[in-house]
Amino acid sequence: MKALKKLFWTVLLLLPVLVKAEVKDIPFTLDDRDRIIRTEQKVESLQSEMNNRFEEIDKRFDQLFNFLWAIIGIFTTMMISVFGFAFWDRKLSLAPLKKQDQKILAVLVDYSKSQPKLLEILKNAGLL
């Protein structure tokens, strides 16, 4: 066992001497420089493609917003038209009834001149 420990310690101490563990400097070559330049060109082309795509997306969003405003405008115009037509139709259809009511009231006022009870009723109703 002691022999094994001695062998172990001697191998452990002599291991750095036996094995050359040198760090080599890797020189920077022209191929490396060219490779870096090509990589930079690819990155720049990707950036320009991405910028173009983002601009296209922005244009589409603008088109969608314009379309949305057009739809809102059409809907608003339709609603105003419907309410305007309903108001106009109601006013037009009630006009003959008002004229008829005025004629009936005029007849009642004339008749109330000969009937005192009817005259009192019309006064109480606020029609005279």
Side-chain angles (χ1 to χ4, degrees), residues 1-120:
M1 189 84 159
K2 283 188 174 187
L4 191 59
K5 280 186 179 181
K6 280 185 180 181
L7 182 64
F8 175 73
W9 284 109
T10 55
V11 169
L12 189 63
L13 290 174
L14 293 176
L15 188 64
V17 175
L18 297 175
V19 177
K20 279 189 170 182
E22 290 183 17
V23 178
K24 289 185 177 180
D25 289 335
I26 300 173
F28 189 74
T29 63
L30 287 176
D31 290 335
D32 295 334
R33 185 180 148 271
D34 292 339
R35 199 172 299 126
I36 290 173
I37 291 172
R38 284 193 305 261
T39 305
E40 287 177 354
Q41 288 174 349
K42 287 181 183 178
V43 168
E44 288 175 3
S45 68
L46 284 174
Q47 283 179 343
S48 64
E49 285 180 23
M50 286 176 55
N51 287 338
N52 290 337
R53 287 190 182 176
F54 281 127
E55 288 175 7
E56 290 175 7
I57 289 172
D58 286 342
K59 287 179 185 176
R60 285 192 181 181
F61 273 124
D62 288 341
Q63 289 175 349
L64 284 175
F65 282 127
N66 290 339
F67 181 71
L68 182 65
W69 280 113
I71 294 294
I72 289 171
I74 290 170
F75 180 73
T76 304
T77 304
M78 286 174 47
M79 294 307 294
I80 289 172
S81 300
V82 166
F83 284 123
F85 177 73
F87 180 73
W88 174 77
D89 187 47
R90 174 117 182 178
K91 188 176 180 182
L92 188 67
S93 64
L94 290 179
L97 293 176
K98 285 183 181 179
K99 287 180 183 177
Q100 188 178 8
D101 287 346
Q102 289 175 355
K103 287 180 184 177
I104 291 172
L105 186 61
V107 169
L108 285 173
V109 167
D110 284 342
Y111 188 63
S112 69
K113 290 178 184 176
S114 63
Q115 298 292 327
K117 208 172 196 181
L118 181 62
L119 183 64
E120 188 179 328

